[in-house]
Amino acid sequence: MNERTARKVVLMRAIETADTKHEVLSEDDRLYASRSARELANWQAAEGKSEPSLHHFLQQRADLILKRLAERTPAFSSFLYRRPLMPLVTVLLPLLGFIAGAVLDRIGDPHRVDLLSAPLLLIIGWNLLVYLALIVWGLIPSKRTGWASPQLLRRLAVGKSALPRKLPAPLAAGLAQYLTDWSTLSAKLAQLRLGRAVHLAAAAFALGAIASLYARGIVNQYAAGWESTFLDAQQVHTMLSVLFAPALAVFPLQGFSLADIQALRFVQEPSPAGGARWVHLYAATLLLVVVLPRIVLAVVSGMRAGRLARNFPLDLGQPYFRLLADRVGASGPAVLRVVPYSVTVDEARHRGLASVAAMVLGEQAQLMLRPSSPYGEDAKDSLRDARLDDAGVAITAVLFSLAATPERENHGAFLDYLVRGTPRGIAVLLDESSLVERGAAQPGFDTRLEERIALWRQFCNYHKAPATVVNLLHPEKYPLDLGSGLALSTAP
């Protein structure tokens, strides 16, 4: 799936899951989109003499749903065709870099070439420092996005965060969720594209300085020389020999001796002879040390970004996609793995869990119920035989009873272990059935139930695992459609 299709699919998912009451997309709208998309995907597969794929189906379905919403809501249409800032940044940064490089080189005497030119030495030194930082960064694993902040990457990937006015509440909520989801999913791609733009800007900056040197040399007579309070001719000769070694090795340029350096000190009357030699040396050094490496880095970043854009890593094993795949027969049965903690699951509640699995993963869903983990036992011991990264499991859900009081050192530690160890994230199911059975007839029970739910949700959110309330004896009480009721954690 390419980036453009993935963006539309993520937007469709955000809108559908936010519109739980079917206010902006009726059930007929969704069924029509599914049927039409399935027919189009089948036709596309027949044209290409291949099997229908979930990618084709999702692409067609997203196009149909977003087009219908754009026709009904003009404000949404303006959002749909909003352009991100990245293309503008890719063009503007190199242009500004070239102009800045040309202007920076004009700081100083326009009639002389300083062998110890601070602006030119700063350009070379800074780029060498950047190369060193890139090597160190590549050797040190990190989950961060590099030097760019998440806020900057979000702005570049999705544009301004302000939503259009006059949007229905469910649609506005869906767009807000899309901005969050897409900025997270596309952070790596935005980082690569920003890196490409920055490398091109650095190369353009050096080219601007080179162009300025030669442009001024056409209309001015350069006087070459140097001056320093702390360096003598021998030290300057050594430093320049190291600095210009790559240029002298690659290009047929005239070298220099210690006597040449001594003769060019500005304590004497500057001589106009030899200015071109130093212009060529600095230009060649900037070309070899700055321009070419930066262009190579930009090409590498561009190739990586292109490969990522063509094969965007959207996890189609998530509940929303699993259910759509089930409805069109594009995949086999999905698995809901339930991990009870200090909860006894009898036959009636087992059937309730099966109903929950069918609601969030489709009628073909399978339930994998693990043995209940004893209260107080270390999660590593009770789950030592569980493959938390099992690709065949669509959702891993922890089951707690609302009759229990959450404890950080027990329930919290169990959640933390699963959140860290499950790549796709986990869901939390809070079963109210036992609590309702015991206290439904008591005065003020509804208020106490709401307070207990609020306590558990706050507790689970603190441990980065959003919770969903269910009643395993009466699962129809809390319908879960298209996976919208099961929020998944994100591994830290």
Side-chain angles (χ1 to χ4, degrees):
M1 183 179 296
N2 60 37
E3 176 196 4
R4 182 179 179 184
T5 300
R7 181 190 289 266
K8 292 180 178 180
V9 169
V10 171
L11 178 57
M12 173 183 69
R13 179 184 63 179
I15 294 172
E16 277 198 283
T17 53
D19 184 26
T20 55
K21 297 182 180 179
H22 296 192
E23 297 177 46
V24 295
L25 281 172
S26 67
E27 185 63 25
D28 289 340
D29 291 333
R30 302 178 193 216
L31 291 175
Y32 170 78
S34 296
R35 286 196 301 267
S36 301
R38 180 171 52 190
E39 292 173 1
L40 289 171
N42 289 335
W43 176 80
Q44 188 174 7
E47 286 289 314
K49 297 182 180 179
S50 61
E51 292 295 325
S53 70
L54 183 57
H55 289 187
H56 292 156
F57 169 74
L58 291 174
Q59 177 184 357
Q60 300 295 344
R61 191 174 188 274
D63 286 337
L64 290 168
I65 284 180
L66 298 181
K67 180 180 179 181
R68 176 155 296 191
L69 287 174
E71 292 171 350
R72 292 175 179 174
T73 311
F76 175 75
S77 179
S78 65
F79 177 89
L80 187 61
Y81 296 105
R82 179 189 293 180
R83 293 290 180 262
L85 295 177
M86 186 61 74
L88 178 63
V89 170
T90 302
V91 174
L92 198 58
L93 269 184
L95 179 60
L96 292 177
F98 184 86
I99 295 173
V103 171
L104 179 67
D105 183 58
R106 291 182 173 273
I107 299 175
D109 189 345
H111 296 285
R112 81 182 199 184
V113 177
D114 192 344
L115 273 61
L116 300 178
S117 171
L120 298 180
L121 291 176
L122 181 63
I123 295 174
I124 296 171
W126 170 254
N127 280 272
L128 292 176
L129 184 62
V130 168
Y131 303 151
L132 178 62
L134 290 175
I135 294 173
V136 172
W137 191 268
L139 296 176
I140 301 176
S142 174
K143 292 183 179 181
R144 290 195 57 208
T145 54
W147 54 269
S149 68
Q151 292 77 18
L152 174 61
L153 295 179
R154 175 190 174 106
R155 186 65 184 270
L156 293 174
V158 301
K160 59 182 180 180
S161 57
L163 297 176
R165 298 181 180 180
K166 299 180 180 179
L167 286 176
L171 190 54
L175 296 187
Q177 185 61 46
Y178 158 76
L179 293 177
T180 300
D181 292 345
W182 184 251
S183 61
T184 301
L185 291 170
S186 63
K188 181 63 177 178
L189 183 57
Q191 179 195 359
L192 289 172
R193 287 172 171 167
L194 180 60
R196 178 184 60 187
V198 170
H199 289 313
L200 289 176
F205 187 86
L207 285 173
I210 294 172
S212 178
L213 279 172
Y214 280 105
R216 285 193 290 124
I218 295 175
V219 296
N220 291 311
Q221 176 68 44
Y222 281 133
W226 65 276
E227 58 186 357
S228 175
T229 302
F230 302 106
L231 302 178
D232 58 25
Q234 179 65 51
Q235 292 170 323
V236 172
H237 178 266
T238 302
M239 186 180 73
L240 293 180
S241 297
V242 173
L243 178 66
F244 295 136
L248 291 171
V250 174
F251 297 103
L253 299 175
Q254 181 183 359
F256 52 91
S257 64
L258 177 59
D260 293 331
I261 299 299
Q262 289 174 332
L264 290 174
R265 192 160 189 173
F266 276 122
V267 295
Q268 309 172 42
E269 183 67 25
S271 171
R277 178 204 309 185
W278 301 102
V279 170
H280 296 327
L281 284 172
Y282 261 114
T285 300
L286 287 172
L287 181 66
L288 291 176
V289 177
V290 181
V291 177
L292 293 181
R294 287 289 194 162
I295 290 178
V296 170
L297 289 171
V299 170
V300 171
S301 294
M303 292 175 62
R304 292 176 62 192
R307 186 164 56 249
L308 195 60
R310 291 189 298 272
N311 301 282
F312 195 85
L314 186 60
D315 183 8
L316 299 182
Q318 296 176 2
Y320 173 85
F321 301 117
R322 287 277 192 169
L323 185 53
L324 284 179
D326 176 75
R327 290 183 174 181
V328 299
S331 71
V335 176
L336 172 65
R337 175 170 54 190
V338 178
V339 184
Y341 182 81
S342 188
V343 176
T344 300
V345 180
D346 55 22
E347 185 177 351
R349 289 178 174 82
H350 190 282
R351 290 196 297 270
L353 284 172
S355 297
V356 170
M359 281 191 282
V360 297
L361 294 174
E363 294 299 327
Q364 299 184 60
Q366 294 181 353
L367 175 65
M368 180 193 297
L369 181 62
R370 285 190 53 83
S372 180
S373 297
Y375 173 82
E377 184 174 342
D378 188 85
K380 189 175 182 180
D381 294 331
S382 61
L383 298 175
R384 60 181 176 273
D385 61 333
R387 289 180 52 204
L388 298 181
D389 60 347
D390 190 349
V393 174
I395 307 175
T396 297
V398 184
L399 177 63
F400 292 125
S401 173
L402 276 177
T405 302
E407 298 174 356
R408 183 174 182 179
E409 62 276 12
N410 293 308
H411 304 85
F414 195 77
L415 278 179
D416 290 340
Y417 177 82
L418 283 168
V419 168
R420 289 194 304 268
T422 311
R424 281 184 174 171
I426 65 168
V428 176
L429 299 176
L430 302 177
D431 179 28
E432 68 169 22
S433 59
S434 297
L435 187 61
V436 171
E437 274 187 322
R438 291 204 310 243
Q442 299 175 5
F445 174 75
D446 291 342
T447 301
R448 292 198 301 274
L449 178 61
E450 291 178 2
E451 292 173 351
R452 179 61 63 90
I453 291 173
L455 173 64
W456 267 100
R457 279 185 167 156
Q458 183 180 12
F459 176 82
C460 292
N461 286 334
Y462 175 80
H463 291 277
K464 299 180 175 60
T468 301
V469 177
V470 295
N471 188 315
L472 295 184
L473 294 180
H474 303 284
E476 70 281 355
K477 181 178 178 180
Y478 298 103
L480 306 175
D481 185 31
L482 281 173
S484 60
L486 283 187
L488 300 181
S489 68
T490 301

